[in-house]
Amino acid sequence: MYAYLFLSSIGEQGKEKVAFIKVYLMATGCATGCASVTFIGTCSNGFYFATDDTDVDEDAFRDSNKCQKCLIRSKDNKFLLLDEGKFQAQNLATTDSGCMFNIQMYKSNDLWGDKRKPVMLYANKDGKKMVACCNEKDEIYPMEMPLPTDIVESSHKAVFYLIDLPASKTFLFESSVYQHKFLGFEPDEHKPSLSKLVLLQKNSDEVVDSCEITVMDIKS
């Protein structure tokens, strides 16, 4: 969300002149879902506004009805699997149905627009949708849930921002809950041949190979 100010009138209160200003909150370059407030005065270097009554769409994420079937591959060519209740990546000579994932696209009022798209990543397992979720321990775990149509919160444990990296033909998945934390792979301490899916810290200008993920589209 961002705002622009429009000077509507100038009046006087006591001995001071007061500017009455309309502030319009905009979303991604359009007036849909906008709110306005009126600047009513200043006091002790503070600005005071009154909100106008308006209908505002409060949904942070909304289902776009677009879903991509895909294979997920790490930078070191391991394919992601949902196995024994865990998201693991391993070397496979051939891929099978256990490697198939779905990326559910959502819409939002994010200022970044098409540069990052909110998504949910899930696998179908025994007729259930097992969605990749994150927690404060930087763990990624599957959780059975129906895919929500609308999410009012501005962040969600299962929503990630999909960011395209055209130069490397890979993607980043940034957590909507934990800023500057991305889906990535690290070796499984119990099974060195496997990698586990986790959240990894990464600065905006930092290159972290283990966070760069290849999304291989599967044609229906």
Side-chain angles (χ1 to χ4, degrees), residues 9-20:
S9 63
I10 298 179
E12 292 189 0
Q13 290 185 358
K15 296 181 180 180
E16 297 182 353
K17 289 187 177 181
V18 177
F20 291 87

Side-chain angles (χ1 to χ4, degrees), residues 76-90:
D76 60 352
N77 294 319
K78 289 185 174 71
F79 284 92
L80 183 65
L81 290 166
L82 175 58
D83 187 35
E84 297 180 354
K86 298 179 181 179
F87 290 111
Q88 298 176 330
Q90 58 181 285

Side-chain angles (χ1 to χ4, degrees), residues 92-107:
L92 296 174
T94 59
T95 57
D96 55 30
S97 59
C99 294
M100 186 179 297
F101 283 83
N102 300 273
I103 297 177
Q104 179 65 46
M105 309 289 183
Y106 283 81
K107 298 177 182 178

Side-chain angles (χ1 to χ4, degrees), residues 22-35:
K22 283 284 189 177
V23 180
Y24 294 92
L25 303 179
M26 304 296 291
T28 320
C30 69
T32 304
C34 299

